[in-house]
Amino acid sequence: MKLSVFVSALLFSLNLFAANWAEDFEALKSVPRSYEDSGAICEEVARLDVRKQFPAPQYHVEVGIAYGDGHRTIGELDIIVFDLNMQRVVRIGEVKCWKSFSGGLNKARDQRGRFLKTIRSNGQVFFKNTSTGQMYDQAWFEGINDFISIGQAGAVANGYDQELGYTLNELHQHTGDMLRCQKQGECAKP
């Protein structure tokens, strides 16, 4: 009896994960993103998760905004939450789906420090979407103090603020799903 309850519970939980990927896959099919970069799937799944926390129409969640001083790119922000009512950025998330949780978390902290140093430098900072080329006003980024780190399943237990519902291996498999879908012409391409 106990074994059949365990097997039923296991199959139910596996179906939940499959249902989540099916839902995420459907949402990502229309996103024109290159999945050749190993971090792309993590950023896009993170965007979907963050959109649930910060829903439209008040919020707009963007992925991949580079910033620089006009001469060079200094860094790139992974997840950016715009509050359209307040006309400012209210959260920035660094997404690190790495084998080494500590290495990813250290990198996220370094990137946060570099961004804060740049934005507080009193110089002109330029913000540009890496996919669309859209430029953003520096004033939207002033005073931001809500930064989070996001990683694969298990990340919170390793010091991250938020984690995705997928392991690193599952995310690699989902990258393959997206690449096959694009190759077959069923998913948007960049």
Side-chain angles (χ1 to χ4, degrees):
M1 179 71 172
K2 286 184 180 180
L3 180 60
S4 66
V5 170
F6 173 75
V7 170
S8 295
L10 178 63
L11 290 174
F12 178 73
S13 67
L14 290 175
N15 285 336
L16 282 179
F17 284 118
N20 286 341
W21 175 242
E23 182 180 308
D24 289 347
F25 180 73
E26 279 304 311
L28 294 177
K29 285 174 79 170
S30 62
V31 176
R33 175 82 189 250
S34 171
Y35 291 97
E36 298 295 332
D37 171 23
S38 62
I41 193 73
C42 295
E43 290 176 2
E44 292 300 337
V45 171
R47 181 195 333 219
L48 295 175
D49 286 356
V50 171
R51 279 183 178 163
K52 291 173 188 169
Q53 299 164 17
F54 293 91
Q58 180 176 350
Y59 300 101
H60 175 71
V61 180
E62 199 56 74
V63 172
I65 295 180
Y67 63 92
D69 60 10
H71 302 289
R72 65 186 175 95
T73 298
I74 297 170
E76 183 180 329
L77 306 171
D78 293 336
I79 300 286
I80 308 90
V81 180
F82 293 91
D83 184 325
L84 302 177
N85 293 344
M86 294 175 56
Q87 295 188 344
R88 60 186 230 105
V89 172
V90 294
R91 175 173 282 175
I92 294 174
E94 285 300 323
V95 182
K96 300 292 174 257
C97 295
W98 289 20
K99 237 180 185 178
S100 167
F101 284 111
S102 62
L105 191 55
N106 286 335
K107 180 69 172 179
R109 289 176 178 152
D110 288 347
Q111 289 176 310
R112 173 188 170 186
R114 183 177 345 127
F115 171 75
L116 288 173
K117 181 180 177 186
T118 302
I119 199 74
R120 293 175 180 161
S121 70
N122 295 326
Q124 181 71 29
V125 181
F126 297 91
F127 294 88
K128 182 179 182 178
N129 186 302
T130 59
S131 297
T132 66
Q134 179 180 349
M135 299 296 290
Y136 301 91
D137 190 329
Q138 180 176 344
W140 284 65
F141 293 83
E142 298 290 340
I144 179 71
N145 61 10
D146 186 359
F147 295 88
I148 63 168
S149 54
I150 304 170
Q152 72 269 25
V156 170
N158 285 280
Y160 288 66
D161 300 302
Q162 194 170 314
E163 65 186 48
L164 306 175
Y166 305 106
T167 66
L168 191 57
N169 285 338
E170 289 170 328
L171 289 162
H172 289 309
Q173 292 170 1
H174 299 329
T175 295
D177 295 340
M178 296 308 298
L179 289 170
R180 278 188 296 282
C181 184
Q182 287 177 330
K183 186 176 181 180
Q184 295 167 350
E186 296 172 5
C187 288
K189 294 179 183 179

